[in-house]
Amino acid sequence: MRNRIFIYLLTAFVMVIATVALAVNFSVRRAWENSFRGDIERNLRQKAAMMSLRIDTDRRNGLSEIVSQEAHAAGARATVIDSKGTVLADSEKAAEPTKNYALLPEFSSALRGEVGANIRTGSVIGVPVLYIAVPVTGGAARLAYPLSDAETSLPGLTRGLLWGVGIALLAALALSGLIAQAAHGRLHRIARFADHIAGGELTARIHDTRMDEIGQLGTRLDHSASRLEDLFRALRESQRQLETLLNSMQDAVIAVNSEERVQWANSSMNRLIASRAKPGVLAVEIVRDPDFLRAIRSSRELHEPATARASSILHGHTFDVTATPLPGGGAVAVLRDLTETERVEKTRRDFIANVSHELRTPLTSIQGYAETLLDAVPDAGHSREFLEIIRKNATRMSRLTEDLLTLARVESGEHRFDVQPVTTSELLNEAVRSFQEIARSQHVELRIEDHAATQVSADSEAVHQVFANLVENALKYGASGGLIVVGARPAGEFVEFYVQDCGPGIPSEHLPRLFERFYRVDKARSRESGGTGLGLAIAKHIVFAHGGVIRAESELNHGATFFFTLPCELHQPEESELASRVGRR
C-alpha cells in the first residue's frame, strides 16, 4: 500500500512539475526574448541618434571614418544613404550599385523624418537582424544589429530551467516518500482498526487527533465504533434476556432456518428430545414426527402460522405445535405438552358422564314418584304445589344430565357420526316439521327462505339436533318477533345454514361467549324457561366435528341470526378425521 501511495504522489508531483515547467518555459522564454530585444532596440536607437548627430556636426572626420567608428562603438553595422537611396558609406562592405536602399522599410521611415525600425533575416548571415534608421542631413543613417546573441542565450535559459525541474523532481521524490510513509502509517492503523472491528473487537480505536481529512475520518470511525459497541452491548443484553425468558418457559421452543436446520432451541426442547438440538442439524434428524415437520414446512413455505397435533415426539405425550414464519425464511415452533390437560379433560368428561349416568335412575324415580303422587293428591292444598315443584326440577335435572351426556360423548369422540350425502332441503324441511306445531302454539311463523339446492356430507340426526337447539333457542328468546326463518346458501366448498329470529337481539359483548357451556345471556329467564345452557355448546361441537364453523350475529332490537356451515358432498371428511376434529375441539 505504501508503494502505491508513493507512486500516486510522485506521479502527481511529476505532472504538476512538468506542467509548470512547460508553462514557465513558454511564458518566461517569450517574455525574456521580448525584454532582451526591447533593451537592444532602445540601446540601438540611442546609438543611432548619437551617430546621426555626429554625422551632422563632425566636420573634421570623413563620413567613412565616422561610420566606421560609430559601428565599432555600437558593435553593429552602420550604413549612410542619400535621399535617393544611394549608399554613401558602409562599415562592412561596398554598396550594391543596383539596389535602391530608400525602398527598405527602415530607410523609408527615416527619409520621411521619422525613426525607422525593422527586424528581418539577413541575406548573408541568415539570422534575424534589428535595423534602426534615423534621418540625417541629405539622407539617412542606419545601424544593423544581429540578434544572434539572443538566440544563443536561449539554450542557456532552457538548461537552467531543466536544472530547476531536476531539482524539483528530486524534492518531489523525497517529499512523496515522506508523505507516503506518513499516510501509510495512518492508513495502516485504520486498516488494523477495521480488522479488529471485523473480528468482533469493538473496543478498538484509531486515536488520530490530527485535523486533516484522515484525522477527521479516524475520529468519525472511532465514534461509529463506540456507537456500534453500545448497540452490540444492548443487543447481547437483549439476547441474554430473550434466552433466559425462553429457557424459563415450560413449553419447548425450536427455531429453524430456510433449509430446516436448527438455529436455536431452549432448554425445554433439549430436555424433550433424546439428542440435543445442535445448531446446523436438520430438524428431521432430531424430531421425526410428521405432523410437527409438516407444520414447520407449511409455515415456512406459506409465510403464515400453522398448527398441528404431534403424538410421536415423546411416547405417551401429545403436543400442540404452533409454527410461525421468521423474516429470514425459517420458522419457530412452540410445542405445548397437552398430555396432562387432556388427561384432566378426559377425567372431567368421564366424571360428568358417570355422574350424569348415575343421576338418570334416581331422577327418573323422583320424577315418576312425583307424578304418581300428583295424581293421588287432591288439587287443593300446598302438598300438590310442592310435588309440582319437585317434578319440575326433576325434569329439568333429567334434561341437564341428558345434555351433559350428549356433550361428553361428542367432545370425547365416542359418538360415531353416520356421515351420508343429504340434500339441504331435506334437513331444512325436517327441522321445520319438528317445530311447526310448537311455533304455531306460540303464534310464531316458522318458514324456509333459501334451499341452496345441493347435497352436503353430514349425519342427519346430528344436524337435526343442531337445528333443534338453534330453533328452540330462537323460540325461547325471539318468539316476540313473531317470525323465525331458516335457510341455506352456497359458500364455496361449504353450505351455510342459518336460523334467524326477529326478537330483541343479543348485546354484542355476549356474542364471543355464546357457545361456551353453561353460559347464559339472561340467567333468570333461562332458568324460568328450563334451559340448561348446553344447547349451543352441543351444536358447536357437532358442527366442528363435521369440519364446519358456527357463529352468531345480532343487533339489539333487530333479532339474532345463527350461522353454521357443512361441507359439500365432494368434500366429505373421513370418519377418522371427524374423530380427530372432535378431540381437538
Side-chain angles (χ1 to χ4, degrees), residues 475-486:
L475 288 172
K476 288 179 182 178
Y477 304 107
S480 59
L483 175 64
I484 297 176
V485 177
V486 297

Side-chain angles (χ1 to χ4, degrees), residues 226-243:
S226 177
R227 179 61 178 163
L228 190 63
E229 183 182 8
D230 294 338
L231 291 176
F232 267 79
R233 186 182 299 112
L235 182 62
R236 282 195 297 267
E237 181 64 25
S238 176
Q239 185 178 5
R240 282 195 295 268
Q241 292 177 359
L242 180 61
E243 289 180 358

Side-chain angles (χ1 to χ4, degrees), residues 373-489:
L373 290 174
L374 279 172
D375 292 339
V377 174
D379 293 340
H382 294 288
S383 297
R384 186 175 183 83
E385 180 182 353
F386 295 153
L387 289 172
E388 184 64 33
I389 293 173
I390 293 173
R391 186 194 63 81
K392 181 178 179 180
N393 282 281
T395 302
R396 183 171 178 273
M397 289 186 68
S398 295
R399 293 183 58 190
L400 179 60
T401 55
E402 290 295 333
D403 286 347
L404 284 172
L405 283 171
T406 301
L407 182 60
R409 285 196 297 268
V410 173
E411 282 185 327
S412 63
E414 295 175 0
H415 183 80
R416 299 297 178 183
F417 293 98
D418 183 17
V419 178
Q420 298 291 337
V422 58
T423 62
T424 58
S425 300
E426 183 179 345
L427 295 174
L428 294 173
N429 290 329
E430 179 64 24
V432 171
R433 277 196 302 270
S434 299
F435 288 91
Q436 191 69 263
E437 292 301 324
I438 300 176
R440 189 177 294 113
S441 66
Q442 298 183 21
H443 307 288
V444 175
E445 181 185 359
L446 179 61
R447 70 170 185 234
I448 300 174
E449 190 174 77
D450 298 317
H451 283 279
T454 185
Q455 287 186 328
V456 295
S457 298
D459 185 324
S460 300
E461 293 297 327
V463 175
H464 179 71
Q465 186 172 2
V466 174
F467 269 116
N469 291 341
L470 295 180
V471 173
E472 184 179 357
N473 196 66
L475 288 172
K476 288 179 182 178
Y477 304 107
S480 59
L483 175 64
I484 297 176
V485 177
V486 297
R489 56 195 178 194

